[in-house]
Amino acid sequence: GWACWKTYLGRPETHFIRCQAMGILGNALVTSRPEDALPVLEADLALRRRYWSYDEELVLTTQTGLANCLAKIGRRDEALVLEREIL
């Protein structure tokens, strides 16, 4: 999680591995600290939509992770909106 993020933090936000590191951090946090994972996952989705929108599977997978995080912290209405966009 954090070690991976710290390794790639200094790279430009357009660097794919930096974005992957952010996703790894968010996914690691969601199991133990979902409230802390939420802003990381939101930023990760925003970057993927901005720079890798052509990779629909990548964006949808990231969006699913964010929806799962929202549901886990009790924000089920927001999770449902994201899940409907996925379908």
Side-chain angles (χ1 to χ4, degrees):
W2 283 110
C4 184
W5 173 242
K6 287 179 182 179
T7 300
Y8 297 104
L9 175 62
R11 298 194 182 186
E13 69 177 22
T14 56
H15 194 276
F16 185 72
I17 299 299
R18 179 184 187 268
C19 191
Q20 289 290 92
M22 184 183 298
I24 290 168
L25 173 60
N27 290 326
L29 288 172
V30 82
T31 56
S32 60
R33 299 184 353 221
E35 293 83 8
D36 293 335
L38 184 60
V40 175
L41 294 172
E42 289 172 330
D44 186 32
L45 180 58
L47 285 175
R48 290 174 194 260
R49 283 178 170 165
R50 185 177 312 130
Y51 298 115
W52 296 282
S53 60
Y54 60 86
D55 191 339
E56 188 173 308
E57 184 177 343
L58 179 67
V59 173
L60 293 177
T61 300
T62 306
Q63 191 168 331
T64 300
L66 176 57
N68 291 336
C69 181
L70 286 165
K72 190 168 188 167
I73 62 174
R75 293 168 59 177
R76 288 176 179 79
D77 290 342
E78 292 171 75
L80 186 58
V81 169
L82 282 177
E83 289 169 355
R84 286 182 176 155
E85 287 177 14
I86 294 167
L87 302 175

